[in-house]
PDB file of all heavy atoms in Angstrom:
ATOM      1  N   ARG A 123     113.425-170.823 -80.582  1.00 97.00           N
ATOM      2  CA  ARG A 123     112.443-171.446 -79.506  1.00 97.00           C
ATOM      3  C   ARG A 123     113.246-171.877 -78.285  1.00 97.00           C
ATOM      4  O   ARG A 123     112.755-171.792 -77.252  1.00 97.00           O
ATOM      5  CB  ARG A 123     111.740-172.634 -80.268  1.00 97.00           C
ATOM      6  CG  ARG A 123     110.965-172.295 -81.372  1.00 97.00           C
ATOM      7  CD  ARG A 123     109.999-173.472 -81.844  1.00 97.00           C
ATOM      8  NE  ARG A 123     110.829-174.613 -82.178  1.00 97.00           N
ATOM      9  CZ  ARG A 123     110.763-175.782 -81.601  1.00 97.00           C
ATOM     10  NH1 ARG A 123     109.792-176.011 -80.635  1.00 97.00           N
ATOM     11  NH2 ARG A 123     111.533-176.770 -82.044  1.00 97.00           N
ATOM     12  N   PHE A 124     114.385-172.359 -78.459  1.00 98.00           N
ATOM     13  CA  PHE A 124     115.132-172.932 -77.357  1.00 98.00           C
ATOM     14  C   PHE A 124     116.336-172.058 -77.088  1.00 98.00           C
ATOM     15  O   PHE A 124     117.001-171.402 -78.030  1.00 98.00           O
ATOM     16  CB  PHE A 124     115.616-174.410 -77.673  1.00 98.00           C
ATOM     17  CG  PHE A 124     114.623-175.473 -77.867  1.00 98.00           C
ATOM     18  CD1 PHE A 124     114.964-176.782 -78.161  1.00 98.00           C
ATOM     19  CD2 PHE A 124     113.275-175.100 -77.701  1.00 98.00           C
ATOM     20  CE1 PHE A 124     114.025-177.626 -78.304  1.00 98.00           C
ATOM     21  CE2 PHE A 124     112.289-176.116 -77.962  1.00 98.00           C
ATOM     22  CZ  PHE A 124     112.626-177.375 -78.181  1.00 98.00           C
ATOM     23  N   THR A 125     116.703-172.082 -75.841  1.00 98.00           N
ATOM     24  CA  THR A 125     117.945-171.193 -75.385  1.00 98.00           C
ATOM     25  C   THR A 125     118.801-172.059 -74.471  1.00 98.00           C
ATOM     26  O   THR A 125     118.233-172.374 -73.352  1.00 98.00           O
ATOM     27  CB  THR A 125     117.598-169.927 -74.888  1.00 98.00           C
ATOM     28  OG1 THR A 125     116.707-169.143 -75.781  1.00 98.00           O
ATOM     29  CG2 THR A 125     118.871-169.095 -74.537  1.00 98.00           C
ATOM     30  N   ILE A 126     120.144-172.285 -74.794  1.00 98.00           N
ATOM     31  CA  ILE A 126     120.836-172.843 -73.747  1.00 98.00           C
ATOM     32  C   ILE A 126     121.514-171.743 -73.015  1.00 98.00           C
ATOM     33  O   ILE A 126     121.838-170.692 -73.506  1.00 98.00           O
ATOM     34  CB  ILE A 126     121.929-173.795 -74.414  1.00 98.00           C
ATOM     35  CG1 ILE A 126     122.705-174.688 -73.416  1.00 98.00           C
ATOM     36  CG2 ILE A 126     122.888-172.999 -75.380  1.00 98.00           C
ATOM     37  CD1 ILE A 126     123.620-175.662 -74.037  1.00 98.00           C
ATOM     38  N   SER A 127     121.714-171.993 -71.597  1.00 98.00           N
ATOM     39  CA  SER A 127     122.396-171.149 -70.722  1.00 98.00           C
ATOM     40  C   SER A 127     123.043-171.871 -69.577  1.00 98.00           C
ATOM     41  O   SER A 127     122.986-173.080 -69.456  1.00 98.00           O
ATOM     42  CB  SER A 127     121.346-170.114 -70.186  1.00 98.00           C
ATOM     43  OG  SER A 127     120.340-170.743 -69.446  1.00 98.00           O
ATOM     44  N   ARG A 128     123.733-171.154 -68.748  1.00 97.00           N
ATOM     45  CA  ARG A 128     124.486-171.778 -67.672  1.00 97.00           C
ATOM     46  C   ARG A 128     124.559-170.819 -66.472  1.00 97.00           C
ATOM     47  O   ARG A 128     124.482-169.586 -66.470  1.00 97.00           O
ATOM     48  CB  ARG A 128     125.901-172.108 -68.094  1.00 97.00           C
ATOM     49  CG  ARG A 128     126.783-170.981 -68.307  1.00 97.00           C
ATOM     50  CD  ARG A 128     128.222-171.478 -68.852  1.00 97.00           C
ATOM     51  NE  ARG A 128     129.026-170.201 -69.031  1.00 97.00           N
ATOM     52  CZ  ARG A 128     130.279-170.316 -69.547  1.00 97.00           C
ATOM     53  NH1 ARG A 128     130.829-171.498 -69.884  1.00 97.00           N
ATOM     54  NH2 ARG A 128     131.065-169.118 -69.665  1.00 97.00           N
ATOM     55  N   ASP A 129     124.784-171.504 -65.361  1.00 97.00           N
ATOM     56  CA  ASP A 129     125.034-170.818 -64.033  1.00 97.00           C
ATOM     57  C   ASP A 129     126.354-171.485 -63.446  1.00 97.00           C
ATOM     58  O   ASP A 129     126.294-172.601 -63.001  1.00 97.00           O
ATOM     59  CB  ASP A 129     123.892-170.969 -63.005  1.00 97.00           C
ATOM     60  CG  ASP A 129     124.108-170.083 -61.891  1.00 97.00           C
ATOM     61  OD1 ASP A 129     125.287-169.850 -61.349  1.00 97.00           O
ATOM     62  OD2 ASP A 129     123.117-169.729 -61.269  1.00 97.00           O
ATOM     63  N   VAL A 130     127.493-170.850 -63.820  1.00 96.00           N
ATOM     64  CA  VAL A 130     128.758-171.416 -63.492  1.00 96.00           C
ATOM     65  C   VAL A 130     128.878-171.614 -61.958  1.00 96.00           C
ATOM     66  O   VAL A 130     129.467-172.701 -61.447  1.00 96.00           O
ATOM     67  CB  VAL A 130     129.836-170.472 -63.948  1.00 96.00           C
ATOM     68  CG1 VAL A 130     131.229-171.066 -63.499  1.00 96.00           C
ATOM     69  CG2 VAL A 130     129.804-170.345 -65.513  1.00 96.00           C
ATOM     70  N   ALA A 131     128.406-170.713 -61.132  1.00 96.00           N
ATOM     71  CA  ALA A 131     128.475-170.843 -59.678  1.00 96.00           C
ATOM     72  C   ALA A 131     127.679-172.140 -59.299  1.00 96.00           C
ATOM     73  O   ALA A 131     128.073-172.806 -58.288  1.00 96.00           O
ATOM     74  CB  ALA A 131     127.901-169.724 -59.015  1.00 96.00           C
ATOM     75  N   LYS A 132     126.689-172.486 -59.869  1.00 97.00           N
ATOM     76  CA  LYS A 132     125.841-173.743 -59.569  1.00 97.00           C
ATOM     77  C   LYS A 132     126.302-174.963 -60.382  1.00 97.00           C
ATOM     78  O   LYS A 132     125.603-176.054 -60.188  1.00 97.00           O
ATOM     79  CB  LYS A 132     124.393-173.446 -59.729  1.00 97.00           C
ATOM     80  CG  LYS A 132     123.809-172.268 -58.759  1.00 97.00           C
ATOM     81  CD  LYS A 132     122.363-172.262 -59.058  1.00 97.00           C
ATOM     82  CE  LYS A 132     121.752-171.136 -58.087  1.00 97.00           C
ATOM     83  NZ  LYS A 132     120.317-170.864 -58.284  1.00 97.00           N
ATOM     84  N   ASN A 133     127.294-174.833 -61.257  1.00 97.00           N
ATOM     85  CA  ASN A 133     127.687-175.931 -62.136  1.00 97.00           C
ATOM     86  C   ASN A 133     126.443-176.456 -62.813  1.00 97.00           C
ATOM     87  O   ASN A 133     126.370-177.759 -62.946  1.00 97.00           O
ATOM     88  CB  ASN A 133     128.368-176.998 -61.256  1.00 97.00           C
ATOM     89  CG  ASN A 133     129.763-176.494 -60.859  1.00 97.00           C
ATOM     90  OD1 ASN A 133     130.497-175.869 -61.547  1.00 97.00           O
ATOM     91  ND2 ASN A 133     130.121-176.752 -59.609  1.00 97.00           N
ATOM     92  N   THR A 134     125.653-175.688 -63.394  1.00 97.00           N
ATOM     93  CA  THR A 134     124.469-176.179 -63.974  1.00 97.00           C
ATOM     94  C   THR A 134     124.244-175.567 -65.374  1.00 97.00           C
ATOM     95  O   THR A 134     124.401-174.358 -65.605  1.00 97.00           O
ATOM     96  CB  THR A 134     123.173-175.782 -63.141  1.00 97.00           C
ATOM     97  OG1 THR A 134     123.331-176.460 -61.841  1.00 97.00           O
ATOM     98  CG2 THR A 134     121.911-176.328 -63.775  1.00 97.00           C
ATOM     99  N   VAL A 135     123.836-176.344 -66.326  1.00 98.00           N
ATOM    100  CA  VAL A 135     123.347-175.872 -67.557  1.00 98.00           C
ATOM    101  C   VAL A 135     121.878-176.063 -67.822  1.00 98.00           C
ATOM    102  O   VAL A 135     121.335-177.048 -67.391  1.00 98.00           O
ATOM    103  CB  VAL A 135     124.243-176.598 -68.692  1.00 98.00           C
ATOM    104  CG1 VAL A 135     123.706-176.215 -70.077  1.00 98.00           C
ATOM    105  CG2 VAL A 135     125.742-176.383 -68.663  1.00 98.00           C
ATOM    106  N   TYR A 136     121.263-175.094 -68.497  1.00 98.00           N
ATOM    107  CA  TYR A 136     119.931-175.139 -68.756  1.00 98.00           C
ATOM    108  C   TYR A 136     119.569-175.021 -70.151  1.00 98.00           C
ATOM    109  O   TYR A 136     120.278-174.795 -70.943  1.00 98.00           O
ATOM    110  CB  TYR A 136     119.304-173.904 -67.983  1.00 98.00           C
ATOM    111  CG  TYR A 136     119.583-173.690 -66.553  1.00 98.00           C
ATOM    112  CD1 TYR A 136     120.599-172.877 -66.169  1.00 98.00           C
ATOM    113  CD2 TYR A 136     118.845-174.284 -65.578  1.00 98.00           C
ATOM    114  CE1 TYR A 136     120.784-172.641 -64.890  1.00 98.00           C
ATOM    115  CE2 TYR A 136     119.063-174.071 -64.290  1.00 98.00           C
ATOM    116  CZ  TYR A 136     120.135-173.374 -63.889  1.00 98.00           C
ATOM    117  OH  TYR A 136     120.379-173.064 -62.527  1.00 98.00           O
ATOM    118  N   LEU A 137     118.290-175.626 -70.364  1.00 98.00           N
ATOM    119  CA  LEU A 137     117.750-175.533 -71.731  1.00 98.00           C
ATOM    120  C   LEU A 137     116.317-174.994 -71.621  1.00 98.00           C
ATOM    121  O   LEU A 137     115.400-175.736 -71.075  1.00 98.00           O
ATOM    122  CB  LEU A 137     117.762-176.898 -72.496  1.00 98.00           C
ATOM    123  CG  LEU A 137     117.150-176.865 -73.921  1.00 98.00           C
ATOM    124  CD1 LEU A 137     118.197-175.982 -74.774  1.00 98.00           C
ATOM    125  CD2 LEU A 137     117.013-178.225 -74.524  1.00 98.00           C
ATOM    126  N   GLN A 138     116.175-173.751 -71.963  1.00 98.00           N
ATOM    127  CA  GLN A 138     114.757-173.244 -71.952  1.00 98.00           C
ATOM    128  C   GLN A 138     113.957-173.474 -73.253  1.00 98.00           C
ATOM    129  O   GLN A 138     114.538-173.166 -74.237  1.00 98.00           O
ATOM    130  CB  GLN A 138     114.746-171.669 -71.731  1.00 98.00           C
ATOM    131  CG  GLN A 138     113.442-171.019 -71.745  1.00 98.00           C
ATOM    132  CD  GLN A 138     112.558-171.375 -70.513  1.00 98.00           C
ATOM    133  OE1 GLN A 138     113.045-171.367 -69.329  1.00 98.00           O
ATOM    134  NE2 GLN A 138     111.307-171.781 -70.794  1.00 98.00           N
ATOM    135  N   MET A 139     112.977-174.200 -73.177  1.00 98.00           N
ATOM    136  CA  MET A 139     112.192-174.611 -74.329  1.00 98.00           C
ATOM    137  C   MET A 139     110.927-173.917 -74.445  1.00 98.00           C
ATOM    138  O   MET A 139     110.057-174.195 -73.599  1.00 98.00           O
ATOM    139  CB  MET A 139     112.040-176.272 -74.205  1.00 98.00           C
ATOM    140  CG  MET A 139     113.367-177.010 -74.003  1.00 98.00           C
ATOM    141  SD  MET A 139     113.109-178.609 -73.570  1.00 98.00           S
ATOM    142  CE  MET A 139     112.521-179.329 -75.054  1.00 98.00           C
ATOM    143  N   ASN A 140     110.752-173.161 -75.334  1.00 98.00           N
ATOM    144  CA  ASN A 140     109.421-172.536 -75.608  1.00 98.00           C
ATOM    145  C   ASN A 140     108.762-173.002 -76.850  1.00 98.00           C
ATOM    146  O   ASN A 140     109.478-173.498 -77.717  1.00 98.00           O
ATOM    147  CB  ASN A 140     109.666-171.037 -75.614  1.00 98.00           C
ATOM    148  CG  ASN A 140     110.194-170.370 -74.426  1.00 98.00           C
ATOM    149  OD1 ASN A 140     109.847-170.835 -73.260  1.00 98.00           O
ATOM    150  ND2 ASN A 140     111.064-169.414 -74.411  1.00 98.00           N
ATOM    151  N   SER A 141     107.515-172.479 -77.072  1.00 98.00           N
ATOM    152  CA  SER A 141     106.852-172.887 -78.306  1.00 98.00           C
ATOM    153  C   SER A 141     106.940-174.381 -78.632  1.00 98.00           C
ATOM    154  O   SER A 141     107.288-174.707 -79.897  1.00 98.00           O
ATOM    155  CB  SER A 141     107.258-172.009 -79.404  1.00 98.00           C
ATOM    156  OG  SER A 141     106.974-170.772 -79.124  1.00 98.00           O
ATOM    157  N   LEU A 142     106.838-175.338 -77.731  1.00 98.00           N
ATOM    158  CA  LEU A 142     107.128-176.774 -77.942  1.00 98.00           C
ATOM    159  C   LEU A 142     106.093-177.384 -78.920  1.00 98.00           C
ATOM    160  O   LEU A 142     104.895-176.962 -78.948  1.00 98.00           O
ATOM    161  CB  LEU A 142     107.081-177.485 -76.690  1.00 98.00           C
ATOM    162  CG  LEU A 142     108.277-177.384 -75.822  1.00 98.00           C
ATOM    163  CD1 LEU A 142     108.053-177.639 -74.338  1.00 98.00           C
ATOM    164  CD2 LEU A 142     109.458-178.123 -76.300  1.00 98.00           C
ATOM    165  N   LYS A 143     106.620-178.233 -79.735  1.00 97.00           N
ATOM    166  CA  LYS A 143     105.834-178.817 -80.718  1.00 97.00           C
ATOM    167  C   LYS A 143     105.882-180.345 -80.523  1.00 97.00           C
ATOM    168  O   LYS A 143     106.760-180.930 -79.885  1.00 97.00           O
ATOM    169  CB  LYS A 143     106.480-178.681 -82.215  1.00 97.00           C
ATOM    170  CG  LYS A 143     106.632-177.165 -82.515  1.00 97.00           C
ATOM    171  CD  LYS A 143     107.303-177.073 -83.885  1.00 97.00           C
ATOM    172  CE  LYS A 143     107.555-175.657 -84.173  1.00 97.00           C
ATOM    173  NZ  LYS A 143     108.329-175.421 -85.406  1.00 97.00           N
ATOM    174  N   PRO A 144     104.919-181.113 -80.872  1.00 97.00           N
ATOM    175  CA  PRO A 144     104.887-182.604 -80.863  1.00 97.00           C
ATOM    176  C   PRO A 144     106.194-183.200 -81.332  1.00 97.00           C
ATOM    177  O   PRO A 144     106.569-184.207 -80.710  1.00 97.00           O
ATOM    178  CB  PRO A 144     103.609-183.001 -81.654  1.00 97.00           C
ATOM    179  CG  PRO A 144     102.807-181.891 -81.574  1.00 97.00           C
ATOM    180  CD  PRO A 144     103.687-180.684 -81.701  1.00 97.00           C
ATOM    181  N   GLU A 145     106.857-182.719 -82.265  1.00 96.00           N
ATOM    182  CA  GLU A 145     108.023-183.313 -82.843  1.00 96.00           C
ATOM    183  C   GLU A 145     109.148-183.195 -81.963  1.00 96.00           C
ATOM    184  O   GLU A 145     110.364-183.542 -82.137  1.00 96.00           O
ATOM    185  CB  GLU A 145     108.362-182.753 -84.235  1.00 96.00           C
ATOM    186  CG  GLU A 145     108.267-181.205 -84.422  1.00 96.00           C
ATOM    187  CD  GLU A 145     107.002-180.757 -84.929  1.00 96.00           C
ATOM    188  OE1 GLU A 145     105.848-181.259 -84.479  1.00 96.00           O
ATOM    189  OE2 GLU A 145     106.994-179.808 -85.889  1.00 96.00           O
ATOM    190  N   ASP A 146     109.017-182.323 -80.865  1.00 97.00           N
ATOM    191  CA  ASP A 146     110.090-182.228 -79.944  1.00 97.00           C
ATOM    192  C   ASP A 146     110.053-183.323 -78.848  1.00 97.00           C
ATOM    193  O   ASP A 146     110.959-183.259 -78.035  1.00 97.00           O
ATOM    194  CB  ASP A 146     109.958-180.756 -79.171  1.00 97.00           C
ATOM    195  CG  ASP A 146     110.150-179.574 -80.052  1.00 97.00           C
ATOM    196  OD1 ASP A 146     111.012-179.578 -80.853  1.00 97.00           O
ATOM    197  OD2 ASP A 146     109.295-178.628 -79.799  1.00 97.00           O
ATOM    198  N   THR A 147     109.094-184.082 -78.952  1.00 98.00           N
ATOM    199  CA  THR A 147     109.084-185.241 -78.030  1.00 98.00           C
ATOM    200  C   THR A 147     110.239-186.101 -78.186  1.00 98.00           C
ATOM    201  O   THR A 147     110.577-186.546 -79.225  1.00 98.00           O
ATOM    202  CB  THR A 147     107.672-186.055 -78.269  1.00 98.00           C
ATOM    203  OG1 THR A 147     106.536-185.207 -77.955  1.00 98.00           O
ATOM    204  CG2 THR A 147     107.662-187.227 -77.368  1.00 98.00           C
ATOM    205  N   ALA A 148     110.933-186.334 -77.038  1.00 98.00           N
ATOM    206  CA  ALA A 148     112.162-187.164 -77.065  1.00 98.00           C
ATOM    207  C   ALA A 148     112.687-187.312 -75.636  1.00 98.00           C
ATOM    208  O   ALA A 148     112.145-186.635 -74.795  1.00 98.00           O
ATOM    209  CB  ALA A 148     113.235-186.525 -78.005  1.00 98.00           C
ATOM    210  N   VAL A 149     113.649-188.189 -75.488  1.00 98.00           N
ATOM    211  CA  VAL A 149     114.453-188.181 -74.267  1.00 98.00           C
ATOM    212  C   VAL A 149     115.678-187.087 -74.447  1.00 98.00           C
ATOM    213  O   VAL A 149     116.259-187.252 -75.485  1.00 98.00           O
ATOM    214  CB  VAL A 149     115.020-189.536 -73.977  1.00 98.00           C
ATOM    215  CG1 VAL A 149     116.017-189.445 -72.735  1.00 98.00           C
ATOM    216  CG2 VAL A 149     113.907-190.495 -73.668  1.00 98.00           C
ATOM    217  N   TYR A 150     115.726-186.178 -73.627  1.00 98.00           N
ATOM    218  CA  TYR A 150     116.814-185.252 -73.705  1.00 98.00           C
ATOM    219  C   TYR A 150     118.012-185.547 -72.696  1.00 98.00           C
ATOM    220  O   TYR A 150     117.867-185.811 -71.667  1.00 98.00           O
ATOM    221  CB  TYR A 150     116.299-183.889 -73.393  1.00 98.00           C
ATOM    222  CG  TYR A 150     115.366-183.217 -74.430  1.00 98.00           C
ATOM    223  CD1 TYR A 150     114.130-183.832 -74.714  1.00 98.00           C
ATOM    224  CD2 TYR A 150     115.772-182.132 -75.212  1.00 98.00           C
ATOM    225  CE1 TYR A 150     113.411-183.256 -75.844  1.00 98.00           C
ATOM    226  CE2 TYR A 150     115.049-181.667 -76.177  1.00 98.00           C
ATOM    227  CZ  TYR A 150     113.831-182.172 -76.596  1.00 98.00           C
ATOM    228  OH  TYR A 150     112.998-181.689 -77.445  1.00 98.00           O
ATOM    229  N   TYR A 151     119.162-185.498 -73.346  1.00 98.00           N
ATOM    230  CA  TYR A 151     120.375-185.847 -72.657  1.00 98.00           C
ATOM    231  C   TYR A 151     121.299-184.701 -72.502  1.00 98.00           C
ATOM    232  O   TYR A 151     121.561-183.964 -73.422  1.00 98.00           O
ATOM    233  CB  TYR A 151     121.021-187.005 -73.338  1.00 98.00           C
ATOM    234  CG  TYR A 151     120.291-188.229 -73.487  1.00 98.00           C
ATOM    235  CD1 TYR A 151     119.580-188.599 -74.559  1.00 98.00           C
ATOM    236  CD2 TYR A 151     120.403-189.278 -72.437  1.00 98.00           C
ATOM    237  CE1 TYR A 151     118.895-189.845 -74.635  1.00 98.00           C
ATOM    238  CE2 TYR A 151     119.816-190.485 -72.439  1.00 98.00           C
ATOM    239  CZ  TYR A 151     118.916-190.596 -73.691  1.00 98.00           C
ATOM    240  OH  TYR A 151     118.292-191.923 -73.688  1.00 98.00           O
ATOM    241  N   CYS A 152     121.875-184.462 -71.360  1.00 98.00           N
ATOM    242  CA  CYS A 152     122.953-183.671 -71.046  1.00 98.00           C
ATOM    243  C   CYS A 152     124.260-184.219 -71.515  1.00 98.00           C
ATOM    244  O   CYS A 152     124.613-185.448 -71.241  1.00 98.00           O
ATOM    245  CB  CYS A 152     122.995-183.217 -69.578  1.00 98.00           C
ATOM    246  SG  CYS A 152     124.186-181.913 -69.237  1.00 98.00           S
ATOM    247  N   ASN A 153     125.131-183.455 -72.061  1.00 98.00           N
ATOM    248  CA  ASN A 153     126.486-183.888 -72.474  1.00 98.00           C
ATOM    249  C   ASN A 153     127.528-182.988 -72.069  1.00 98.00           C
ATOM    250  O   ASN A 153     127.404-181.576 -71.995  1.00 98.00           O
ATOM    251  CB  ASN A 153     126.390-183.908 -74.063  1.00 98.00           C
ATOM    252  CG  ASN A 153     127.845-184.140 -74.699  1.00 98.00           C
ATOM    253  OD1 ASN A 153     128.437-183.154 -75.024  1.00 98.00           O
ATOM    254  ND2 ASN A 153     128.241-185.347 -74.814  1.00 98.00           N
ATOM    255  N   ALA A 154     128.725-183.497 -71.754  1.00 97.00           N
ATOM    256  CA  ALA A 154     129.890-182.791 -71.429  1.00 97.00           C
ATOM    257  C   ALA A 154     131.089-183.439 -72.130  1.00 97.00           C
ATOM    258  O   ALA A 154     131.258-184.495 -72.020  1.00 97.00           O
ATOM    259  CB  ALA A 154     130.114-182.681 -69.847  1.00 97.00           C
ATOM    260  N   GLN A 155     131.779-182.497 -72.799  1.00 97.00           N
ATOM    261  CA  GLN A 155     132.977-182.928 -73.628  1.00 97.00           C
ATOM    262  C   GLN A 155     134.170-182.423 -72.970  1.00 97.00           C
ATOM    263  O   GLN A 155     134.451-181.165 -72.686  1.00 97.00           O
ATOM    264  CB  GLN A 155     132.834-182.366 -74.890  1.00 97.00           C
ATOM    265  CG  GLN A 155     133.858-183.009 -75.983  1.00 97.00           C
ATOM    266  CD  GLN A 155     133.571-182.608 -77.353  1.00 97.00           C
ATOM    267  OE1 GLN A 155     133.844-181.411 -77.761  1.00 97.00           O
ATOM    268  NE2 GLN A 155     132.990-183.478 -78.297  1.00 97.00           N
TER     269      GLN A 155
END
């Protein structure tokens, strides 16, 4: 359902979220290690 991807040139990470369900309700946080 979800796919993580990135655009290195834009220094951006994405999360494509499809077929969303009520249980997906949350605060979503980006993380870098």
Side-chain angles (χ1 to χ4, degrees):
R123 300 189 299 124
F124 297 178
T125 304
I126 190 170
S127 63
R128 68 182 182 184
D129 187 330
V130 174
K132 295 182 178 179
N133 290 318
T134 301
V135 174
Y136 303 96
L137 184 68
Q138 179 66 47
M139 309 168 68
N140 299 325
S141 302
L142 283 161
K143 305 174 181 179
E145 51 263 45
D146 296 318
T147 297
V149 177
Y150 284 71
Y151 296 93
C152 184
N153 167 265
Q155 188 175 74

